[in-house]
Amino acid sequence: MSTADQGDQQNHDAGPGPSRAPLAIGLASFTSSFDRFAVSPLLVFLALDLGVSLAQSVAVAGVYFLAYGFTQPLWGMLSDRYGRLRVMRLALVGAGLAGAASAVAPGLGWLILLRGLTGALFGGIIPTAITFIGDTVPGRHRQSALADNMAATAVGTALATAVAGVVGSTLGWRVMFALPVLLAVACLLALRPLAEPERGTAQGLWRSLARTLSHGWMLAIIALAFVEGAVVLGLLTLLAPALQDQGLDAATAGLAVAAYGAATLVASRLVKPLARRWPAHRLIALGGLGMVAGYAAVALQVSIGTVVFAAAGLGWTWALMHTALQSWATVVLPQLRGTAVSLFAAALFAGSSVGALVAGPLADAGRWAALFGVTAAVAGLVAVLAYALRRAYHRRHP
């Protein structure tokens, strides 16, 4: 970190400022999460209405998720150059237009294209919101503010999965795709009073990317995000299939895994008092215990009880460990905060995809004890490594 960057970080972290982000930032994160998680419950309705197979309709979700994840570095670099709120407003306008067009798409091809575009545009919201929090909330309050933002995304996730099935079966999938458009309009109105936070001198897009990727600490955080994405998000998707393999129906399995969202909401409320007392590396260690214990439980036996415990443990990890890593990503390169945070987010999504793919063969074979046992061991290594690296950084940059 340069001397200028250190000065910016120390002054911002120690100086006065708000203890939380504006409500409009949380609303934007909620909207992005709501749109992202509304897709999957609608796939069956899409297939029936458009006269295509379920495998074909899955492409609507697949293209959306790819576009959502892999465009985030671009959004980060743009926010460093042109401003956080300007980029967020642009993304919301574009996502609203693309989302409205997808709601009236005449066929599967157009729908895939328009949902991909919608995902690419909504993908710019959450990393920009995190960066805005990094710009405006001092270090002593930042992890609490990030936990609040995470709670907003968790509510968006839970509400989308609950509402999409009901709306899809009664009013139709087109109505469900139109709802985030209305939310995007509300976000734009809520963002109007906010002022653009101060940033450092703008740099070229590729120079920003090269500088971020050449920074040792930032590379370490990106690597941790990748493995965390694989262990937490990638393997989370296999908890429900593990229960179904034991003979349970999909609805029961889905409800068991819903403990993840509930635990995330509850644990996010604990971050604020814990962050006041403990340094970030202790929160990482405490959060890491959740994923290790959860995966160890389902490695011993796959049942409703152990899956609920594992899902809740992952929610605990997400609220404590992940927000600590998020907060760390906002301070290492304050002059390139948008690029750094977006690369962190992209690594997380890439890791989740790789984790699910790597675990696929063991899941197909029904070797759940081996799969979750190895995952518990990897989770333990990730937690220890994250703890050690964050502690070392804290000693060098107290």
Side-chain angles (χ1 to χ4, degrees):
M1 182 185 296
S2 69
T3 303
D5 285 352
Q6 286 179 338
D8 174 88
Q9 175 187 327
Q10 291 168 358
N11 291 338
H12 176 48
D13 286 357
S19 61
R20 61 180 60 189
L23 182 62
I25 299 299
L27 178 61
S29 295
F30 167 88
T31 301
S32 176
S33 181
F34 184 89
D35 188 76
R36 179 176 171 233
F37 284 92
V39 178
S40 297
L42 299 175
L43 295 178
V44 172
F45 305 118
L46 284 172
L48 291 173
D49 187 55
L50 297 177
V52 299
S53 68
L54 182 59
Q56 289 175 304
S57 72
V58 167
V60 176
V63 171
Y64 183 102
F65 294 148
L66 284 173
Y68 189 100
F70 287 102
T71 55
Q72 296 199 15
L74 175 62
W75 287 114
M77 290 185 287
L78 289 172
S79 77
D80 278 338
R81 186 169 182 84
Y82 299 108
R84 319 302 184 201
L85 294 176
R86 183 178 297 177
V87 163
M88 190 175 288
R89 289 172 180 132
L90 174 65
L92 284 167
V93 169
L97 293 174
S102 70
V104 295
L108 182 65
W110 277 107
L111 183 61
I112 291 172
L113 175 65
L114 291 167
R115 290 311 294 171
L117 180 59
T118 306
L121 290 158
F122 266 128
I125 301 300
I126 291 180
T128 308
I130 295 169
T131 307
F132 181 93
I133 292 169
D135 287 344
T136 57
V137 180
R140 65 185 182 276
H141 299 302
R142 190 174 300 142
Q143 189 170 349
S144 299
L146 290 171
D148 289 340
N149 195 67
M150 179 178 290
T153 63
V155 171
T157 300
L159 194 59
T161 53
V163 170
V166 176
V167 173
S169 61
T170 55
L171 301 177
W173 60 269
R174 296 182 187 275
V175 174
M176 190 62 203
F177 281 157
L179 291 181
V181 177
L182 301 178
L183 290 172
V185 173
C187 290
L188 287 167
L189 294 175
L191 288 170
R192 287 183 63 184
L194 300 186
E196 189 72 52
E198 294 184 7
R199 307 186 320 280
T201 304
Q203 301 183 28
L205 298 183
W206 295 114
R207 183 180 178 187
S208 299
L209 183 62
R211 186 181 169 194
T212 304
L213 291 176
S214 64
H215 193 282
W217 283 113
M218 198 61 233
L219 282 178
I221 297 169
I222 290 172
L224 288 172
F226 179 87
V227 183
E228 183 197 30
V231 172
V232 178
L233 299 181
L235 273 294
L236 172 67
T237 61
L238 297 178
L239 289 177
L243 267 183
Q244 290 174 268
D245 194 45
Q246 310 306 307
L248 275 79
D249 61 274
T252 302
L255 285 174
V257 179
Y260 167 80
T264 301
L265 284 173
V266 173
S268 67
R269 302 301 86 202
L270 299 176
V271 170
K272 186 174 294 185
L274 289 174
R276 290 173 183 164
R277 301 179 181 181
W278 287 2
H281 55 271
R282 289 188 183 178
L283 293 178
I284 286 174
L286 184 62
L289 288 175
M291 60 180 177
V292 176
Y295 284 128
V298 286
L300 293 174
Q301 180 184 9
V302 177
S303 66
I304 292 178
T306 58
V307 166
V308 168
F309 178 77
L314 292 176
W316 173 267
T317 299
W318 196 245
L320 272 73
M321 179 175 168
H322 182 68
T323 54
L325 294 177
Q326 263 188 358
S327 182
W328 190 11
T330 66
V331 302
V332 173
L333 281 172
Q335 300 294 338
L336 296 171
R337 189 171 278 130
T339 303
V341 168
S342 63
L343 287 172
F344 173 90
L348 190 77
F349 284 115
S352 68
S353 299
V354 171
L357 289 173
V358 170
L362 285 176
D364 287 338
R367 298 180 60 188
W368 302 110
L371 173 58
F372 292 127
V374 170
T375 304
V378 174
L381 290 175
V382 172
V384 170
L385 185 59
Y387 169 85
L389 289 173
R390 187 63 181 90
R391 185 182 182 190
Y393 184 85
H394 179 73
R395 288 180 171 179
R396 294 187 62 176
H397 308 286

